[in-house]
Amino acid sequence: MFKIFKYSFFDLTRSSWSYVYFLFYLLLGMVLLFLNNDLNTAVITLMNVIIMLVPLIGTIFGVMYYYNSREFTELLLAQPVKRSSIFLGQYFGVAISLSISLVLGLGIPFAAYGLFKSPAIWDFVMLLVTGLFLTLIFSALAFNIALSNENKIKGFGYAILLWLFLAVIYDGLFLLSLVYFQEYPLDKFSLVATMFNPIDLSRILILLKLDISALLSYTGAVFKQFFGTSFGSIASISMLVLWVVLPLLRIAYVVRKKDF
Amino acid sequence: MERFLIFLSLLLFIPTLEAKEIVVCPGCEVSSIKQAVDLANNGDTIRIQKGLYKEHDIEIIGKSLTIIGENYPVIDAEMEGTAFRIKADNFSIEGLHIKNIGTSHTSDDAAILVSRSKNFSIKNNRLSNIFFGILLERSSEGDITGNKIRSKARSQANSGNGIHIWNSKDLTIENNDIQGVRDGIYLEFANQCDIINNICRENLRYGLHFMFSDHNKYLENLFENNGAGVAVMYSKFIEMERNLFRKNWGSASYGLLLKEITDATLKHNVFEDNTIAISADNTNRIDYIENDFLSNGYAVRIRGACYNNVFKRNNFLANSFDVAYTGNINENEFLGNYWSEYTGYDLNKDGIGDVPFRPVKLFSYLVNKTPEAIILLRSTFIGLLDFSEKVSPIFTPAELTDSQPLMQKIKW
């Protein structure tokens, strides 16, 4: 698996897309800091971007890479290599090269701006950690979709739909149910509903780190109480880990049986 | 007639001409303040020199004394009772350092307790580790100036107020610096008071608190990091000008809390980094003119039963929510404000935007109805929702607009 990972990884680092992605984040970080002059507000703006774009790019990139490297995959399948290690190797190649672009792209301008001396460093670390998790999660989901769909167009369609669902539609349904059931106590429900969507979970984790959490009033207090405890942070981190592991297990399971 | 007047005034001055001065110091003939007060007659001066005086319940009744501390002599009440208890006209207390007033659940122990007094001044004292600081009851025409009050209030039930005024009038409270008590300045049934240029910081409950107090002014004060900056409740005719409300931040914090108040003006105040800058509940005829709202969670939250409130020429800059609104429009008015979120245009270049601005976002409307929905703050869906509501308003009150939003920030 490591060999295939290495191959995919170096293949991707040579491709221009990772550089485009890297440069995009570099530019974004620099422009934000240039315009805001303040690390804290820059972190908030960045959060909006990360929550939208990181999942989208992870999804598109994952699907694209899978379909593009199909011939190479078929070649590999003819060799005496374990199937799961072929696909997981490819997956990690994609996910880790994306993660490195993200971390370096955002890290360099912020570090140059004096992040290490600023109290905002933990907010920023939180931002990067959730960004990393979102990359891992969404490229794993993308691989799953691509594996289940031979048809490229369909695969892309489903991938976009998945992103749209988790980034936008889920919150709409969430809001709808909150408004519909407003007579009932809803803080437990909203806690659970947030846990089930990795994008919402990341958003809340970052918001609670930021000063803005006081705005969340009573519900925010419930959230802060939950996420502030060690149980809460373990639960939320393990939820994110679960979001990575479950799709990966499915990849391993599907490729064992799949007829290529 | 003129001669008679001169004679009369001379007659009035005679006691002051005869006034003597009593010096108190730890090694002197008079070594305690109580002793000095007993010795003193009407109109005398007591000069307390530097040193530690472990005394409490010093009573000054019916004597007009001038008490002056030199280099801040320390009066330690040793957590027992009140330090000074005064019932006299024309007295002054200056330059003392009073400390260690114990918490009591049955009596209002204060560093300086003044009752039924008139024409007095309490100036440049330092009070530390106190329960109540300066407590005034049934008094009038007093100056409370330049005092520095420090305490470490932990819970609301076990702490007192820095300057507590009950049933008094015509007072001036100026240049005081109050930190770490329950309410920095508390007024109940206090009328015609001027509260000027004070600093209230890190108080447990409110920086300044009005209850049933009419015709008061507070100007040029700083309220920072209190439970709530200022609470004005059940009062009429309050003037609030040139104050700075900063960083009153927390899940139940306000910059200014207005409840059941009428006929007040707010002018030239700055609200910065408060969770809720102004929360107005049941307020009538309030003019908000030329205030700055900067980076607050909510700039203005209007609860029910508010009538005839007017917002004119205010700057709303980078608040998470500019206005949250419950209930009907009720003749409340927003006119000619500057909103940093305004995206309209000004074709005829008269400085007034051609498209009305709607300060209430759909999301703030939703949060008002379902408080749990706040958890979706800054999510993409909410962004989309707000955008579509802005294009064609359906849910937010249609009449609630600023029909003349300004294009440039107002300089006042």
Side-chain angles (χ1 to χ4, degrees), chain A residues 16-26 53-54 57-58 61 97-99 101-102 105 135:
Chain A
S16 53
W17 277 111
S18 334
Y19 289 107
V20 169
Y21 191 50
F22 165 70
L23 285 176
F24 168 72
Y25 276 114
L26 196 68
L53 282 183
V54 166
I57 291 171
F61 223 74
S97 78
L98 282 179
S99 308
S101 303
L102 174 75
T135 308

Side-chain angles (χ1 to χ4, degrees), chain B residues 139-143 168-172 190-194 216:
Chain B
S139 301
S140 60
E141 293 161 51
D143 276 347
S168 301
K169 61 179 186 189
D170 300 314
L171 303 169
T172 308
N191 301 332
Q192 286 108 29
C193 295
D194 292 348
N216 296 300

Side-chain angles (χ1 to χ4, degrees), chain A residues 126-143:
Chain A
M126 193 58 165
L127 205 68
L128 282 189
V129 168
T130 51
L132 286 182
F133 266 113
L134 286 177
T135 308
L136 292 178
I137 290 167
F138 278 85
S139 29
L141 290 174
F143 259 68

Side-chain angles (χ1 to χ4, degrees), chain A residues 13-107:
Chain A
T13 48
R14 271 196 300 270
S15 92
S16 53
W17 277 111
S18 334
Y19 289 107
V20 169
Y21 191 50
F22 165 70
L23 285 176
F24 168 72
Y25 276 114
L26 196 68
L27 201 69
L28 184 78
M30 289 203 296
V31 168
L32 271 182
L33 286 172
F34 174 71
L35 288 179
N36 273 319
N37 272 324
D38 177 33
L39 279 175
N40 262 319
T41 37
V43 166
I44 291 184
T45 322
L46 213 55
M47 181 197 83
N48 291 339
V49 174
I50 281 202
I51 277 165
M52 278 289 279
L53 282 183
V54 166
L56 182 65
I57 291 171
T59 318
I60 301 281
F61 223 74
V63 176
M64 213 163 65
Y65 187 78
Y66 178 86
Y67 286 132
N68 268 352
S69 59
R70 207 180 144 76
E71 278 162 27
F72 172 59
T73 311
E74 271 164 19
L75 182 76
L76 278 180
L77 283 170
Q79 311 296 320
V81 194
K82 245 176 87 182
R83 276 184 164 197
S84 61
S85 61
I86 296 174
F87 288 94
L88 289 181
Q90 285 184 351
Y91 161 75
F92 280 115
V94 173
I96 288 175
S97 78
L98 282 179
S99 308
I100 288 175
S101 303
L102 174 75
V103 172
L104 287 183
L106 288 182

Side-chain angles (χ1 to χ4, degrees), chain B residues 131 292 299 362:
Chain B
F131 180 46
D292 277 1
L362 176 57

Side-chain angles (χ1 to χ4, degrees), chain B residues 201-268:
Chain B
R201 231 186 237 146
E202 277 144 46
N203 296 302
L204 210 55
R205 197 168 62 181
Y206 304 130
L208 170 60
H209 189 177
F210 290 91
M211 291 295 264
F212 313 103
S213 299
D214 305 337
H215 300 280
N216 296 300
K217 273 183 217 167
Y218 66 95
L219 320 167
E220 292 165 35
N221 301 288
L222 165 68
F223 303 101
E224 192 175 56
N225 206 0
N226 302 293
V230 177
V232 184
M233 300 180 179
Y234 310 100
S235 301
K236 289 175 213 155
F237 303 100
I238 308 281
E239 259 176 61
M240 327 179 198
E241 287 182 25
R242 302 186 296 281
N243 299 291
L244 175 58
F245 301 77
R246 285 191 69 214
K247 297 202 168 160
N248 298 298
W249 191 268
S251 53
S253 285
Y254 303 89
L256 172 58
L257 180 65
L258 302 173
K259 184 168 172 55
E260 306 245 351
I261 89 159
T262 57
D263 303 288
T265 9
L266 275 113
K267 205 172 169 187
H268 295 181

